[in-house]
Amino acid sequence: MPIIEQNTVSALNKAGGKGEIFITHLLTPNEMLGKCQMFARVRIPVGASLGVHQHIGNNETYYILQGTAAYTDNDKVYAVKAGDTTFCADGDTHGIENIGDDDLIFIALIINTK
Amino acid sequence: MPIIEQNTVSALNKAGGKGEIFITHLLTPNEMLGKCQMFARVRIPVGASLGVHQHIGNNETYYILQGTAAYTDNDKVYAVKAGDTTFCADGDTHGIENIGDDDLIFIALIINTK
């Protein structure tokens, strides 16, 4: 079957963030062949966040599908909305918080740099 | 700026498909470091399609965001809808056609296998 079974996991206070977030993995490690580490749809309910954390050995892209967020890039904070793409390079830190009235939903892609 | 500038290109009769399709690149080759070849949002208007083509040296995942499609995987055709994830392994062929009444929109990720 070419249609992949998805696997949703939840995490509480992820990277020191607030509340519970939900990560739906769209690919398994087998399909990513060591090139990527995660390809997922992330849902962050109202008021919750994914805490600021550093990426070492990989970079991460978020493509915002729905909602409004405060995106922290190293020491600066940016407002992001549906349609925006954010990029955290290897060695940088980032985090994201739902500051809107609806679920924040985005695609997350982690590409290994080594 | 951690917010990436997006670049939309259109293609007519792509891979022998019907009509015009629109590809919004979310990452550049520099950010993908040779690990991935494309990370994009694809929009296929009503009645248009991306023709069946083979992947050699990479695999491709579609994550359907909106619409209804006929997804061809090698010699079989599947109906796919928002929320579905399709996977085309290295060496396989695939194509996708909008068979609904609204734009078909999906995220496409090509991961290099070599």
Side-chain angles (χ1 to χ4, degrees):
Chain A
M1 267 293 285
I3 300 174
I4 288 187
E5 193 174 328
Q6 294 170 10
N7 169 34
T8 299
V9 296
S10 72
L12 264 177
N13 306 120
K14 182 133 177 115
K18 294 183 284 187
E20 190 169 17
I21 71 168
F22 300 85
I23 302 172
T24 300
H25 291 282
L26 304 177
L27 287 178
T28 64
N30 276 349
E31 292 146 350
M32 294 187 282
L33 303 157
K35 303 295 196 300
C36 298
Q37 200 168 120
M38 187 177 82
F39 181 48
R41 172 190 185 271
V42 181
R43 179 169 69 84
I44 300 186
V46 174
S49 68
L50 199 173
V52 175
H53 57 282
Q54 186 175 26
H55 279 267
I56 300 282
N58 54 64
N59 64 42
E60 186 166 23
T61 304
Y62 294 159
Y63 176 64
I64 312 292
L65 296 176
Q66 176 187 299
T68 309
Y71 179 80
T72 300
D73 172 75
N74 295 309
D75 57 350
K76 290 188 182 151
V77 180
Y78 300 84
V80 296
K81 60 184 190 313
D84 288 339
T85 304
T86 65
F87 183 71
C88 178
D90 190 358
D92 284 355
T93 64
H94 72 162
I96 192 165
E97 177 170 359
N98 184 345
I99 56 168
D101 301 325
D102 201 358
D103 277 352
L104 169 68
I105 300 175
F106 57 91
I107 299 294
L109 173 65
I110 299 179
I111 299 174
N112 290 327
T113 53
K114 299 293 184 295
Chain B
M1 265 294 284
I3 300 174
I4 287 187
E5 192 174 330
Q6 296 170 11
N7 169 35
T8 299
V9 296
S10 71
L12 264 177
N13 304 121
K14 182 128 177 120
K18 295 184 284 186
E20 190 169 17
I21 72 169
F22 300 85
I23 302 172
T24 300
H25 291 281
L26 305 176
L27 287 178
T28 64
N30 277 349
E31 293 146 349
M32 294 187 283
L33 303 156
K35 304 295 196 299
C36 298
Q37 200 169 121
M38 186 176 84
F39 181 48
R41 173 189 184 272
V42 180
R43 180 169 70 84
I44 300 187
V46 174
S49 68
L50 200 173
V52 175
H53 57 283
Q54 185 175 26
H55 279 267
I56 300 281
N58 55 63
N59 64 43
E60 185 167 24
T61 304
Y62 294 159
Y63 176 64
I64 313 292
L65 296 176
Q66 176 188 299
T68 309
Y71 178 80
T72 300
D73 172 76
N74 296 309
D75 57 352
K76 289 188 183 152
V77 181
Y78 300 84
V80 296
K81 60 183 190 312
D84 288 339
T85 304
T86 66
F87 183 72
C88 179
D90 189 0
D92 284 355
T93 65
H94 72 162
I96 191 165
E97 177 169 359
N98 184 345
I99 57 167
D101 301 325
D102 200 359
D103 276 353
L104 170 68
I105 299 175
F106 57 92
I107 299 294
L109 172 65
I110 299 178
I111 299 174
N112 291 327
T113 54
K114 299 291 186 295

